[in-house]
Amino acid sequence: MSENKHTSYISGKESRRITKFNRKVTKKLESERANANKDPQLYTTKMKDENNVVEFDNVCTFFFTEVGTVKAVDGISFEVPKNSTVGVVGESGCGKSVTSLSLMQLLQRPTGQVVGGEIRFNKGDGTAYNIVNTPNSIMEQIRGNKMSMIFQEPMTSLNPVFRIGDQVDEAIILHNPDMSEEDVKARTLELLDMVGIANKEGVYSMYPHELSGGMRQRVMIAIALACRPELIIADEPTTALDVTIQAQILDLLENLKKKIGSSIMLITHDLGVVAGMADYVVVMYAGRVIEKGTADDIFHHPAHPYTIGLMKSKPVVGKKVEELYNIPGSVPNPVNMPNYCYFRDRCEMQCDMCSGKYPPSIKISDTHVVSCYRFYDEKNVIEYPKTVNPEEL
Amino acid sequence: MAEEIKKVGLLEGAENNPDNLLVVKNLKKYFPIKSSFFKMTVGNVKAVDGVSFAIKRGTTMGLVGESGCGKSTIGRTILRLQDKTEGEVYFNGKDLFALSKDELRKERPNIQIIFQDPYSSLSPRLPVGEIIGEAVREHKIVPPEEFDDYITRVMEACGLPEYAKSRYPHEFSGGQRQRICIARALALNPDFILCDEPVSALDVSIQAQIINLLRSLQKEFGLTYLFISHDLSVVEHISDTVGVMYLGNMVEFAPTETLFKNPLHPYTEALFSAIPIPDPDYQMHRIILEGSIPSPANPPKGCKFHTRCRKCMEICKYADPNFKMVEDEHFVACHLYNTEEENKIAQRLTEEAKKAEKEEAENQKNGKKK
């Protein structure tokens, strides 16, 4: 909310202009996608590091909405190494879910589009998919098979008219068409057992409404694990659950990770959950990565003022403080982002450079990278985030 | 056995103590289950099943528990937004449910509520000044000529700018809207505010702003809060006393520090062990509770927690534990802390219940044979 009274209103003329522009851009992007179908060269690249499962490289995901172009994800780079858990933390609207949806190609098209950068997904044979350009037919083989997703709300992500068994079976049959019916069922029961459902035969023939929230989330996890994926994306897997059930699910995820050896990308706003689970942490703010590093770096030596503020503003059991620290103000309007550091207006540690360009990512230790001018040093600058100007598309 | 001792009551005469602003005694709220045909009552959902507590003036009581345990139902029943089934609620020494409509109306400004979802609890058609001022005018809190100044003052106290008065709720962010809700409650100059999960819909950085605001308002105006939340770390931060609920019953009640240092009830223990700590080096010792919360329409016999309890004993399955004081101001409902006398009663009840069960089973067998 700003002092200017009419910022949230758009004139008819302006609105027509935006609609016309959106139509033009999305049409062009869609036709480019259609062309990419033909040539596998267009969507095959090489990983920077073979030990990573996924590499995000300056990914830009924009939404062409009626009020203007929303830069939901604006040039983010991070990687998910093999056999590790990466926690993505941030407030609502900071782009963490959009990041995962871009990776799964589940964005609401044509409004939402990945307009720039590369998302490299390791094939395992020295080459990689560039998810941004991969056509749907290939994506169908990857999705659910090589990477799968656990959604936030187990209540709404299971189909109410199919039995649990059928829903787990479906994922297996789709990616293993040669498997016999008995084998599929045996595998489903094995999965249900693995996620800690005691009455697996019973649950196999139940409908989702007969299960509690925690049980439904277990079924969701079973579906995600069906094809032994290399990457599991858990998008706020415990937010809709109670504390005691949350403990059950987190325990389960931790054990499963050890058992099947896949990577987990854990998206959450709860720092406590991340601390217990993650090896690496990525902190996002307003569509950009502002800090990334190992869990130890982030929790014991937070560098970005936003991360520091976030840590201090959450009450912690056993540590009594008289008054909680609060970060003043709120997130800037995503349609109209400033051209200086997005956090400057809320920051209490500003320096002179903050009013200039958006800060580059700066290396402060081997594993720890932060985007803040407080640590600015010519030698350690990695790169400035590359964004895409929607007008040039 | 519970009945025998609850009648004596922990809060005997508590409503006459001027220190206590709100006293709730053995409050029950059942929701009838109607059959689809003829609308007959076929059973009851025991949302709140005998809860007693007292809140001292100027303090905050936290109420925690899993979803569906009856936290919000307690809040709404205390406010008389819905009728009780049984029990008493005393506010300032007056029995709220004995008040007539007119008397209740006079009492209403003193008891206010802040709802969970700031997006759906504000009328989209009214400007903010009117949302805050409507009740002020209705209850004639200030003379009409001071009205405008008063609203500005209240808004200022809640950190809202004056120009917000003519704006509509959709122009504000979640945190700002929650400030409007707080201003609306505060404008009536209440003694008591019920906060029903006021921060769970907000982001972490905004949560801190709202919690700090609530605390500073409490200091300034001497407010009393009942703070309902499922976030234990928030409750620990803001409350002076905490009540833990499970399936319509209060299982533990104590001053915050005592409770968090030394939880006595096995459920509280498990609940606290499940709180995620934002420190990667911290070794969690989670006590994993098996299964999930049973249906309140058909709660288990005896102690309601016995189906998930690690320390379940034979008596827990049949006898309802007492809610009683174990240490100084530390109340708990668990057989683990029984006196010998109570144990004897529990044993007797267990045997009786077992006998009855056997007889019933035999009767059923015989009935089938016939």
Side-chain angles (χ1 to χ4, degrees):
Chain A
M1 197 188 54
S2 75
E3 302 283 338
N4 187 345
K5 200 173 175 182
H6 293 292
T7 41
S8 56
Y9 297 105
I10 295 173
S11 66
K13 198 177 159 196
E14 180 71 6
S15 165
R16 277 193 295 281
R17 191 192 66 77
I18 292 171
T19 316
K20 202 174 159 194
F21 169 75
N22 286 351
R23 210 178 296 140
K24 197 185 96 196
V25 172
T26 50
K27 206 173 164 187
K28 188 166 161 245
L29 289 168
E30 286 293 301
S31 70
E32 267 171 27
R33 280 185 57 83
N35 287 337
N37 266 343
K38 291 158 198 157
D39 187 5
Q41 283 300 321
L42 282 173
Y43 55 84
T44 332
T45 65
K46 265 202 156 145
M47 299 295 283
K48 253 190 197 159
D49 184 351
E50 270 306 310
N51 288 324
N52 292 338
V53 182
V54 176
E55 288 171 358
F56 289 87
D57 193 354
N58 275 311
V59 179
C60 296
T61 306
F62 291 178
F63 286 87
F64 298 95
T65 68
E66 285 151 31
V67 289
T69 307
V70 177
K71 298 178 178 177
V73 169
D74 195 11
I76 61 160
S77 312
F78 67 92
E79 35 303 299
V80 181
K82 275 181 185 161
N83 297 333
S84 60
T85 307
V86 174
V88 182
V89 205
E91 290 178 83
S92 53
C94 75
K96 40 187 205 310
S97 286
V98 175
T99 308
S100 67
L101 292 177
S102 310
L103 174 59
M104 291 286 273
Q105 260 200 32
L106 290 173
L107 287 170
Q108 189 74 46
R109 282 194 295 138
T111 322
Q113 299 276 3
V114 181
V115 294
E118 269 188 356
I119 305 174
R120 292 186 286 268
F121 185 77
N122 203 337
K123 256 186 191 173
D125 57 356
T127 57
Y129 290 111
N130 179 8
I131 299 288
V132 177
N133 295 328
T134 309
N136 239 342
S137 52
I138 308 285
M139 269 323 282
E140 275 164 14
Q141 291 165 25
I142 305 175
R143 237 185 260 140
N145 194 10
K146 294 201 166 147
M147 57 180 167
S148 55
M149 193 158 177
I150 302 165
F151 292 94
Q152 177 168 6
E153 274 184 57
M155 320 293 162
T156 50
S157 24
L158 286 169
N159 192 332
V161 299
F162 288 107
R163 291 178 196 276
I164 297 295
D166 294 342
Q167 298 192 42
V168 185
D169 283 352
E170 189 190 6
I172 303 172
I173 295 168
L174 203 63
H175 297 290
N176 306 286
D178 310 330
M179 250 166 122
S180 72
E181 234 170 81
E182 289 81 41
D183 286 351
V184 171
K185 183 167 179 186
R187 172 78 181 139
T188 304
L189 291 177
E190 187 195 326
L191 282 166
L192 291 179
D193 194 43
M194 200 154 89
V195 294
I197 294 176
N199 170 25
K200 53 185 176 181
E201 296 276 348
V203 170
Y204 186 85
S205 55
M206 275 185 195
Y207 287 97
H209 73 262
E210 294 173 77
L211 301 176
S212 63
M215 289 289 258
R216 275 183 247 190
Q217 195 59 290
R218 281 167 198 268
V219 172
M220 285 298 296
I221 294 173
I223 296 175
L225 295 176
C227 300
R228 300 190 181 84
E230 283 150 39
L231 175 72
I232 301 167
I233 304 166
D235 189 355
E236 311 242 3
T238 56
T239 309
L241 305 173
D242 278 314
V243 197
T244 56
I245 310 294
Q246 170 174 309
Q248 290 177 4
I249 298 292
L250 291 179
D251 220 49
L252 173 69
L253 276 175
E254 231 161 288
N255 289 337
L256 287 175
K257 194 188 129 198
K258 277 178 209 149
K259 229 187 255 174
I260 57 174
S262 46
S263 305
I264 300 178
M265 192 171 138
L266 181 71
I267 295 170
T268 179
H269 65 261
D270 192 335
L271 288 166
V273 171
V274 171
M277 293 274 300
D279 306 313
Y280 300 95
V281 181
V282 175
V283 187
M284 288 185 69
Y285 181 75
R288 288 207 165 141
V289 173
I290 52 147
E291 190 168 4
K292 58 187 173 185
T294 60
D296 183 61
D297 288 336
I298 301 289
F299 285 96
H300 294 313
H301 317 282
H304 198 282
Y306 176 67
T307 321
I308 298 171
L310 211 57
M311 304 269 183
K312 275 198 280 182
S313 61
K314 178 88 185 144
V316 175
V317 172
K319 281 183 201 161
K320 197 95 181 156
V321 280
E322 196 39 50
E323 194 169 349
L324 288 175
Y325 173 77
N326 63 50
I327 304 173
S330 54
V331 187
N333 182 353
V335 179
N336 196 4
M337 282 294 190
N339 51 10
Y340 44 86
C341 174
Y342 296 166
F343 192 64
R344 191 196 76 175
D345 296 336
R346 300 176 75 184
C347 188
E348 288 174 353
M349 309 177 186
Q350 311 177 9
C351 50
D352 299 338
M353 291 178 85
C354 293
S355 311
K357 238 160 75 167
Y358 187 89
S361 42
I362 296 160
K363 204 171 183 173
I364 52 177
S365 80
D366 283 345
T367 49
H368 199 170
V369 174
V370 66
S371 292
C372 180
Y373 279 118
R374 292 196 304 136
F375 301 93
Y376 188 76
D377 186 349
E378 268 327 312
K379 290 175 292 189
N380 295 335
V381 170
I382 301 174
E383 61 174 348
Y384 285 89
K386 280 181 213 141
T387 179
V388 175
N389 188 354
E391 303 293 335
E392 287 165 12
L393 284 169
Chain B
M1 139 165 146
E3 297 303 317
E4 290 168 32
I5 299 177
K6 261 179 198 160
K7 263 178 209 154
V8 182
L10 297 159
L11 298 165
E12 185 76 39
E15 69 268 24
N16 298 325
N17 185 347
D19 272 355
N20 292 330
L21 182 68
L22 186 84
V23 177
V24 176
K25 278 186 171 180
N26 200 20
L27 187 71
K28 288 184 185 173
K29 174 71 193 171
Y30 296 170
F31 293 101
I33 307 168
K34 303 274 188 192
S35 68
S36 54
F37 196 58
F38 284 138
K39 299 276 175 269
M40 301 242 286
T41 304
V42 291
N44 281 312
V45 174
K46 296 180 179 177
V48 178
D49 197 12
V51 169
S52 315
F53 59 85
I55 309 179
K56 288 210 172 76
R57 246 169 243 282
T59 63
T60 305
M61 174 180 158
L63 203 55
V64 294
E66 288 175 86
S67 52
C69 71
K71 311 184 291 282
S72 291
T73 310
I74 287 193
R76 284 159 179 273
T77 315
I78 289 172
L79 257 68
R80 231 181 125 174
L81 293 177
Q82 53 192 201
D83 253 329
K84 60 168 186 179
T85 305
E86 230 185 279
E88 288 136 55
V89 178
Y90 295 95
F91 181 76
N92 253 338
K94 276 180 260 180
D95 186 352
L96 274 187
F97 281 93
L99 295 179
S100 71
K101 228 177 170 180
D102 281 348
E103 285 169 320
L104 181 68
R105 207 181 127 77
K106 272 182 204 137
E107 208 55 58
R108 279 257 191 254
N110 289 330
I111 320 169
Q112 287 295 311
I113 182 167
I114 299 164
F115 293 99
Q116 171 171 11
D117 186 359
Y119 293 89
S120 55
S121 55
L122 294 172
S123 167
R125 285 162 173 262
L126 291 179
V128 170
E130 189 57 25
I131 289 177
I132 299 170
E134 197 179 18
V136 176
R137 196 179 297 132
E138 197 63 29
H139 286 287
K140 302 192 179 68
I141 303 288
V142 287
E145 61 272 14
E146 285 172 30
F147 179 78
D148 240 22
D149 270 356
Y150 181 72
I151 301 297
T152 314
R153 273 213 312 280
V154 170
M155 283 171 67
E156 212 168 85
C158 295
L160 290 164
E162 198 187 344
Y163 63 80
K165 223 186 258 181
S166 54
R167 303 286 181 84
Y168 288 86
H170 74 263
E171 295 175 59
F172 295 86
S173 64
Q176 294 275 27
R177 282 184 210 212
Q178 202 57 287
R179 284 175 196 269
I180 299 171
C181 292
I182 294 172
R184 173 170 66 180
L186 198 69
L188 294 173
N189 215 352
D191 296 328
F192 176 75
I193 298 182
L194 171 72
C195 309
D196 191 355
E197 309 238 12
V199 295
S200 38
L202 305 174
D203 272 317
V204 186
S205 68
I206 310 295
Q207 264 186 23
Q209 294 176 5
I210 297 295
I211 292 170
N212 282 343
L213 173 66
L214 283 171
R215 283 191 68 143
S216 68
L217 290 176
Q218 177 167 41
K219 271 182 211 145
E220 203 177 329
F221 299 98
L223 296 169
T224 308
Y225 294 134
L226 175 59
F227 195 92
I228 298 174
S229 177
H230 64 262
D231 191 335
L232 292 159
S233 44
V234 171
V235 167
E236 194 215 11
H237 178 76
I238 201 167
S239 316
D240 300 303
T241 54
V242 178
V244 183
M245 286 195 63
Y246 185 76
L247 211 59
N249 285 96
M250 195 170 279
V251 294
E252 197 162 355
F253 178 81
T256 311
E257 263 177 47
T258 325
L259 188 72
F260 277 80
K261 227 177 252 167
N262 180 25
L264 292 178
H265 198 279
Y267 176 66
T268 320
E269 255 179 280
L271 201 63
F272 288 178
S273 77
I275 309 169
I277 304 285
D279 181 353
D281 297 339
Y282 183 83
Q283 277 300 314
M284 298 273 293
H285 299 286
R286 290 197 197 111
I287 303 168
I288 302 289
L289 289 178
E290 296 299 323
S292 54
I293 198 163
S295 156
N298 187 18
K301 254 189 212 165
C303 173
K304 284 178 178 173
F305 185 59
H306 85 253
T307 51
R308 300 171 78 190
C309 187
R310 294 188 304 155
K311 298 176 180 166
C312 179
M313 298 177 288
E314 193 62 27
I315 45 171
C316 299
K317 291 177 186 163
Y318 297 98
D320 195 3
N322 277 324
F323 188 60
K324 58 172 180 131
M325 192 144 88
V326 177
E327 290 166 14
D328 189 29
E329 287 187 64
H330 194 153
F331 297 87
V332 66
C334 182
H335 284 304
L336 287 174
Y337 308 98
N338 274 355
T339 56
E340 250 172 59
E341 195 185 344
E342 282 170 326
N343 259 336
K344 266 181 204 158
I345 304 175
Q347 217 86 45
R348 201 193 71 224
L349 281 171
T350 308
E351 270 152 36
E352 276 171 19
K354 271 187 178 171
K355 220 184 199 174
E357 224 170 53
K358 234 184 228 169
E359 272 170 25
E360 204 173 303
E362 264 168 36
N363 281 343
Q364 262 181 359
K365 245 187 222 166
N366 293 340
K368 265 181 196 168
K369 271 177 196 166
K370 275 172 196 171

PDB file of all heavy atoms in Angstrom, chain B residues 80-95:
ATOM      1  N   ARG B  80     -20.398 -16.463  23.946  1.00  0.00           N
ATOM      2  CA  ARG B  80     -21.828 -16.699  23.737  1.00  0.00           C
ATOM      3  C   ARG B  80     -22.207 -16.478  22.289  1.00  0.00           C
ATOM      4  O   ARG B  80     -23.269 -15.967  21.968  1.00  0.00           O
ATOM      5  CB  ARG B  80     -22.670 -15.807  24.652  1.00  0.00           C
ATOM      6  CG  ARG B  80     -23.705 -16.643  25.412  1.00  0.00           C
ATOM      7  CD  ARG B  80     -24.550 -15.811  26.299  1.00  0.00           C
ATOM      8  NE  ARG B  80     -25.962 -16.024  25.986  1.00  0.00           N
ATOM      9  CZ  ARG B  80     -26.953 -15.499  26.688  1.00  0.00           C
ATOM     10  NH1 ARG B  80     -26.698 -14.705  27.718  1.00  0.00           N
ATOM     11  NH2 ARG B  80     -28.201 -15.732  26.367  1.00  0.00           N
ATOM     12  N   LEU B  81     -21.322 -16.815  21.401  1.00  0.00           N
ATOM     13  CA  LEU B  81     -21.669 -16.785  19.984  1.00  0.00           C
ATOM     14  C   LEU B  81     -22.469 -18.032  19.649  1.00  0.00           C
ATOM     15  O   LEU B  81     -23.129 -18.115  18.635  1.00  0.00           O
ATOM     16  CB  LEU B  81     -20.410 -16.724  19.120  1.00  0.00           C
ATOM     17  CG  LEU B  81     -19.616 -15.437  19.224  1.00  0.00           C
ATOM     18  CD1 LEU B  81     -18.357 -15.514  18.398  1.00  0.00           C
ATOM     19  CD2 LEU B  81     -20.451 -14.257  18.789  1.00  0.00           C
ATOM     20  N   GLN B  82     -22.356 -19.049  20.503  1.00  0.00           N
ATOM     21  CA  GLN B  82     -23.183 -20.239  20.379  1.00  0.00           C
ATOM     22  C   GLN B  82     -23.546 -20.684  21.784  1.00  0.00           C
ATOM     23  O   GLN B  82     -22.881 -20.329  22.749  1.00  0.00           O
ATOM     24  CB  GLN B  82     -22.443 -21.337  19.618  1.00  0.00           C
ATOM     25  CG  GLN B  82     -21.111 -21.652  20.187  1.00  0.00           C
ATOM     26  CD  GLN B  82     -20.242 -22.519  19.293  1.00  0.00           C
ATOM     27  OE1 GLN B  82     -19.339 -23.144  19.769  1.00  0.00           O
ATOM     28  NE2 GLN B  82     -20.502 -22.565  18.011  1.00  0.00           N
ATOM     29  N   ASP B  83     -24.623 -21.448  21.904  1.00  0.00           N
ATOM     30  CA  ASP B  83     -25.085 -21.831  23.236  1.00  0.00           C
ATOM     31  C   ASP B  83     -24.242 -22.950  23.811  1.00  0.00           C
ATOM     32  O   ASP B  83     -23.683 -23.760  23.085  1.00  0.00           O
ATOM     33  CB  ASP B  83     -26.548 -22.249  23.158  1.00  0.00           C
ATOM     34  CG  ASP B  83     -27.422 -21.184  23.772  1.00  0.00           C
ATOM     35  OD1 ASP B  83     -26.917 -20.527  24.715  1.00  0.00           O
ATOM     36  OD2 ASP B  83     -28.555 -20.990  23.320  1.00  0.00           O
ATOM     37  N   LYS B  84     -24.200 -22.983  25.145  1.00  0.00           N
ATOM     38  CA  LYS B  84     -23.476 -24.077  25.802  1.00  0.00           C
ATOM     39  C   LYS B  84     -24.394 -25.266  25.948  1.00  0.00           C
ATOM     40  O   LYS B  84     -25.617 -25.152  25.797  1.00  0.00           O
ATOM     41  CB  LYS B  84     -23.013 -23.600  27.169  1.00  0.00           C
ATOM     42  CG  LYS B  84     -24.219 -23.195  28.016  1.00  0.00           C
ATOM     43  CD  LYS B  84     -23.917 -22.993  29.440  1.00  0.00           C
ATOM     44  CE  LYS B  84     -25.250 -22.733  30.166  1.00  0.00           C
ATOM     45  NZ  LYS B  84     -25.123 -22.528  31.574  1.00  0.00           N
ATOM     46  N   THR B  85     -23.832 -26.400  26.289  1.00  0.00           N
ATOM     47  CA  THR B  85     -24.643 -27.550  26.641  1.00  0.00           C
ATOM     48  C   THR B  85     -24.740 -27.641  28.160  1.00  0.00           C
ATOM     49  O   THR B  85     -25.788 -27.930  28.708  1.00  0.00           O
ATOM     50  CB  THR B  85     -24.014 -28.845  26.088  1.00  0.00           C
ATOM     51  OG1 THR B  85     -23.835 -28.672  24.686  1.00  0.00           O
ATOM     52  CG2 THR B  85     -24.902 -30.044  26.325  1.00  0.00           C
ATOM     53  N   GLU B  86     -23.619 -27.352  28.801  1.00  0.00           N
ATOM     54  CA  GLU B  86     -23.579 -27.412  30.255  1.00  0.00           C
ATOM     55  C   GLU B  86     -22.443 -26.539  30.745  1.00  0.00           C
ATOM     56  O   GLU B  86     -21.560 -26.181  29.982  1.00  0.00           O
ATOM     57  CB  GLU B  86     -23.321 -28.867  30.690  1.00  0.00           C
ATOM     58  CG  GLU B  86     -24.267 -29.388  31.734  1.00  0.00           C
ATOM     59  CD  GLU B  86     -23.821 -30.785  32.150  1.00  0.00           C
ATOM     60  OE1 GLU B  86     -24.143 -31.729  31.414  1.00  0.00           O
ATOM     61  OE2 GLU B  86     -23.130 -30.902  33.176  1.00  0.00           O
ATOM     62  N   GLY B  87     -22.449 -26.221  32.029  1.00  0.00           N
ATOM     63  CA  GLY B  87     -21.334 -25.497  32.608  1.00  0.00           C
ATOM     64  C   GLY B  87     -21.634 -24.024  32.799  1.00  0.00           C
ATOM     65  O   GLY B  87     -22.717 -23.549  32.479  1.00  0.00           O
ATOM     66  N   GLU B  88     -20.656 -23.307  33.342  1.00  0.00           N
ATOM     67  CA  GLU B  88     -20.843 -21.895  33.634  1.00  0.00           C
ATOM     68  C   GLU B  88     -19.660 -21.085  33.141  1.00  0.00           C
ATOM     69  O   GLU B  88     -18.534 -21.566  33.150  1.00  0.00           O
ATOM     70  CB  GLU B  88     -20.956 -21.684  35.150  1.00  0.00           C
ATOM     71  CG  GLU B  88     -22.249 -22.178  35.751  1.00  0.00           C
ATOM     72  CD  GLU B  88     -21.996 -22.934  37.038  1.00  0.00           C
ATOM     73  OE1 GLU B  88     -21.355 -22.377  37.946  1.00  0.00           O
ATOM     74  OE2 GLU B  88     -22.424 -24.100  37.120  1.00  0.00           O
ATOM     75  N   VAL B  89     -19.946 -19.860  32.707  1.00  0.00           N
ATOM     76  CA  VAL B  89     -18.886 -18.938  32.335  1.00  0.00           C
ATOM     77  C   VAL B  89     -19.112 -17.646  33.097  1.00  0.00           C
ATOM     78  O   VAL B  89     -20.171 -17.029  32.975  1.00  0.00           O
ATOM     79  CB  VAL B  89     -18.911 -18.641  30.823  1.00  0.00           C
ATOM     80  CG1 VAL B  89     -17.833 -17.637  30.469  1.00  0.00           C
ATOM     81  CG2 VAL B  89     -18.724 -19.909  30.017  1.00  0.00           C
ATOM     82  N   TYR B  90     -18.142 -17.269  33.919  1.00  0.00           N
ATOM     83  CA  TYR B  90     -18.261 -16.029  34.666  1.00  0.00           C
ATOM     84  C   TYR B  90     -17.308 -15.007  34.094  1.00  0.00           C
ATOM     85  O   TYR B  90     -16.122 -15.266  33.952  1.00  0.00           O
ATOM     86  CB  TYR B  90     -17.928 -16.249  36.143  1.00  0.00           C
ATOM     87  CG  TYR B  90     -18.910 -17.147  36.833  1.00  0.00           C
ATOM     88  CD1 TYR B  90     -18.661 -18.506  36.958  1.00  0.00           C
ATOM     89  CD2 TYR B  90     -20.095 -16.627  37.346  1.00  0.00           C
ATOM     90  CE1 TYR B  90     -19.569 -19.339  37.577  1.00  0.00           C
ATOM     91  CE2 TYR B  90     -21.014 -17.456  37.960  1.00  0.00           C
ATOM     92  CZ  TYR B  90     -20.742 -18.808  38.077  1.00  0.00           C
ATOM     93  OH  TYR B  90     -21.641 -19.631  38.680  1.00  0.00           O
ATOM     94  N   PHE B  91     -17.838 -13.838  33.773  1.00  0.00           N
ATOM     95  CA  PHE B  91     -16.995 -12.745  33.305  1.00  0.00           C
ATOM     96  C   PHE B  91     -17.174 -11.609  34.282  1.00  0.00           C
ATOM     97  O   PHE B  91     -18.298 -11.141  34.492  1.00  0.00           O
ATOM     98  CB  PHE B  91     -17.427 -12.323  31.895  1.00  0.00           C
ATOM     99  CG  PHE B  91     -16.600 -11.215  31.335  1.00  0.00           C
ATOM    100  CD1 PHE B  91     -15.321 -11.470  30.863  1.00  0.00           C
ATOM    101  CD2 PHE B  91     -17.072  -9.918  31.300  1.00  0.00           C
ATOM    102  CE1 PHE B  91     -14.549 -10.450  30.359  1.00  0.00           C
ATOM    103  CE2 PHE B  91     -16.294  -8.897  30.792  1.00  0.00           C
ATOM    104  CZ  PHE B  91     -15.035  -9.168  30.316  1.00  0.00           C
ATOM    105  N   ASN B  92     -16.105 -11.160  34.913  1.00  0.00           N
ATOM    106  CA  ASN B  92     -16.190 -10.113  35.918  1.00  0.00           C
ATOM    107  C   ASN B  92     -17.149 -10.493  37.037  1.00  0.00           C
ATOM    108  O   ASN B  92     -17.847  -9.656  37.584  1.00  0.00           O
ATOM    109  CB  ASN B  92     -16.690  -8.812  35.274  1.00  0.00           C
ATOM    110  CG  ASN B  92     -15.555  -7.827  35.153  1.00  0.00           C
ATOM    111  OD1 ASN B  92     -14.566  -7.927  35.878  1.00  0.00           O
ATOM    112  ND2 ASN B  92     -15.697  -6.884  34.244  1.00  0.00           N
ATOM    113  N   GLY B  93     -17.239 -11.777  37.338  1.00  0.00           N
ATOM    114  CA  GLY B  93     -18.119 -12.222  38.407  1.00  0.00           C
ATOM    115  C   GLY B  93     -19.557 -12.441  37.988  1.00  0.00           C
ATOM    116  O   GLY B  93     -20.368 -12.902  38.770  1.00  0.00           O
ATOM    117  N   LYS B  94     -19.899 -12.078  36.738  1.00  0.00           N
ATOM    118  CA  LYS B  94     -21.281 -12.281  36.275  1.00  0.00           C
ATOM    119  C   LYS B  94     -21.368 -13.538  35.425  1.00  0.00           C
ATOM    120  O   LYS B  94     -20.481 -13.789  34.609  1.00  0.00           O
ATOM    121  CB  LYS B  94     -21.707 -11.087  35.419  1.00  0.00           C
ATOM    122  CG  LYS B  94     -22.222  -9.920  36.235  1.00  0.00           C
ATOM    123  CD  LYS B  94     -22.630  -8.786  35.310  1.00  0.00           C
ATOM    124  CE  LYS B  94     -21.537  -7.741  35.247  1.00  0.00           C
ATOM    125  NZ  LYS B  94     -21.800  -6.613  34.400  1.00  0.00           N
ATOM    126  N   ASP B  95     -22.436 -14.301  35.614  1.00  0.00           N
ATOM    127  CA  ASP B  95     -22.626 -15.488  34.792  1.00  0.00           C
ATOM    128  C   ASP B  95     -23.140 -15.051  33.420  1.00  0.00           C
ATOM    129  O   ASP B  95     -24.261 -14.556  33.301  1.00  0.00           O
ATOM    130  CB  ASP B  95     -23.618 -16.428  35.470  1.00  0.00           C
ATOM    131  CG  ASP B  95     -23.726 -17.740  34.716  1.00  0.00           C
ATOM    132  OD1 ASP B  95     -23.151 -17.831  33.612  1.00  0.00           O
ATOM    133  OD2 ASP B  95     -24.373 -18.660  35.232  1.00  0.00           O
TER     134      ASP B  95
END
